[in-house]
């Protein structure tokens, strides 16, 4: 009988043969983080590394990525280092498109690159630059039936949204979508973002170099920045130095927020 590992490797090899950007798929039976595996550290542009079981995934800003071991898709793509804002945008659009292919419905993108449904996070992206290339880590919640504690109100999965799909199908859709989006023109990516923009119209708290800024998001230009209506008037927050601390719900920890890059 074909093992799950062989099934993944065979299918992903076939996808590599037909996508423009990805030529090599590495499947690991288990790893702590696809960002940190030696197979990723030693790989070159055009490779992606995935695993049947990620046990200590990393999120943005040093957070954990709780992907419940074998219920999610965890993958790191090694690509040429394009400008960060473009990589962020292309990755978010690709993750959204892969989720939509499974759900048969549109999802939202919460700037800069969280895929959300009903305000809950379905997928996340972590981009790191190393030695002249970029490592794009994408996690998608697929088969989780529930999340515990604080995550219960903040996270969702394709299963919770009503779709029981195989992780390999989600990953296959993602590889094809990312190969497309990384070669798409900027204006097409911006349009693809804007129709899914989940932040506009919401109240949010931002970390900026000048300290926390709170207000209603009037518009988002994913490559440049956001216009926010605050108590003291409209402010433009540049993408390069702004991150979302809280949005669409209770705003907390305003005073303790560090300034963080939007990656
Ligand atoms: C975030 O939303 O904070 C980003 C989450 C990124 C998670 C993915 S899963 C694959 C890759 N390996 C990791 O350890 N992290 C990324």
């Amino acid at each position: 009988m074909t093992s799950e590992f062989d099934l993944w490797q065979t299918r992903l090899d076939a996808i590599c043969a037909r996508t423009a950007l990805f030529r090599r798929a590495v499947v690991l039976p288990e790893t702590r983080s696809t960002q940190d595996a030696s197979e990723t550290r030693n790989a070159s542009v055009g490779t992606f590394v995935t695993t049947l079981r990620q046990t200590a995934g990393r999120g943005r800003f040093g957070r954990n990525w709780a992907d419940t071991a074998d219920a999610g898709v965890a993958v790191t793509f090694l690509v040429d280092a394009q400008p960060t804002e473009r990589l962020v945008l292309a990755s978010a659009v690709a993750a959204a498109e892969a989720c939509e292919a499974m759900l048969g419905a549109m999802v939202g993108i919460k700037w800069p690159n969280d895929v959300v449904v009903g305000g809950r996070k379905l997928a996340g992206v972590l981009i790191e630059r190393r030695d002249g290339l970029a490592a794009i880590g994408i996690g998608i919640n697929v088969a989780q039936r529930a999340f515990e504690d604080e995550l219960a109100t903040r996270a969702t999965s394709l299963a919770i949204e009503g779709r029981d799909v195989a992780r390999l199908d989600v990953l296959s859709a993602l590889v094809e979508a990312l190969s497309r989006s990384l070669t798409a023109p900027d204006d097409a990516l911006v349009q693809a973002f804007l129709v899914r923009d989940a932040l506009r119209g919401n109240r949010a708290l931002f970390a900026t170099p000048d300290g926390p800024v709170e207000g209603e998001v009037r518009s988002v230009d994913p490559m440049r920045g956001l216009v926010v209506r605050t108590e003291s008037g409209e402010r433009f927050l540049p993408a390069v130095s702004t991150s979302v601390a809280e949005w669409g719900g209770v705003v907390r920890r305003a005073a303790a927020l560090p300034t963080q890059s939007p990656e």
Side-chain angles (χ1 to χ4, degrees):
M1 207 175 86
T2 314
S3 69
E4 189 180 21
F5 176 89
D6 289 336
L7 195 68
W8 279 46
Q9 189 69 66
T10 305
R11 172 100 163 261
L12 296 172
D13 285 345
I15 290 175
C16 285
R18 63 171 190 264
T19 56
L21 286 193
F22 299 112
R23 289 182 293 281
R24 185 167 163 252
V26 177
V27 182
L28 304 174
E30 178 171 318
T31 191
R32 287 175 58 76
S33 161
T34 57
Q35 284 306 95
D36 302 330
S38 58
E39 290 81 355
T40 310
R41 297 264 166 207
N42 297 324
S44 52
V45 165
T47 299
F48 64 89
V49 178
T50 187
T51 184
L52 299 181
R53 189 177 166 84
Q54 180 170 263
T55 56
R58 293 193 289 109
R60 295 164 69 222
F61 310 132
R63 298 181 193 126
N64 295 330
W65 174 252
D67 51 358
T68 330
D70 51 6
V73 162
V75 56
T76 298
F77 298 89
L78 284 313
V79 304
D80 277 322
Q82 305 179 13
T84 297
E85 289 74 22
R86 220 192 109 79
L87 289 177
V88 168
L89 183 54
S91 308
V93 167
E97 286 179 350
C99 293
E100 288 169 356
M102 301 297 117
L103 289 171
M106 274 189 83
V107 298
I109 300 175
K110 191 205 79 180
W111 180 85
N113 53 16
D114 286 349
V115 175
V116 294
V117 175
R120 295 176 194 217
K121 186 157 162 174
L122 180 59
V125 179
L126 172 67
I127 298 177
E128 296 173 323
R129 288 170 179 278
R130 330 173 156 159
D131 308 327
L133 54 78
I136 302 176
I138 301 181
I140 301 179
N141 298 327
V142 178
Q144 293 92 338
R145 298 272 160 209
F147 289 91
E148 291 185 347
D149 306 324
E150 198 205 11
L151 279 183
T153 57
R154 292 178 168 257
T156 190
S157 69
L158 293 169
I160 293 169
E161 297 305 323
R163 286 291 188 277
D164 284 316
V165 291
R167 292 187 298 159
L168 184 53
D169 288 342
V170 184
L171 178 55
S172 303
L174 177 63
V175 175
E176 304 217 36
L178 189 64
S179 182
R180 276 195 310 271
S181 70
L182 284 170
T183 50
D186 285 357
D187 57 346
L189 288 177
V190 170
Q191 280 312 312
F193 172 90
L194 290 177
V195 294
R196 298 175 174 88
D197 181 1
L199 201 52
R200 193 165 65 93
N202 274 276
R203 287 195 70 74
L205 177 69
F206 298 93
T208 81
D210 304 327
V213 173
E214 187 182 344
E216 184 198 320
V217 179
R218 304 292 293 159
S219 64
V220 181
D221 178 335
M223 305 274 276
R224 294 187 180 80
L226 309 94
V227 176
V228 177
R229 185 161 63 198
T230 71
E231 278 180 359
S232 53
E234 286 202 346
R235 282 188 61 176
F236 177 75
L237 305 180
V240 70
S241 57
T242 302
S243 62
V244 181
E246 298 286 340
W247 74 296
V250 181
V251 172
R252 296 170 300 149
R253 289 182 279 113
L257 291 168
T259 299
Q260 295 159 326
S261 86
E263 264 183 274

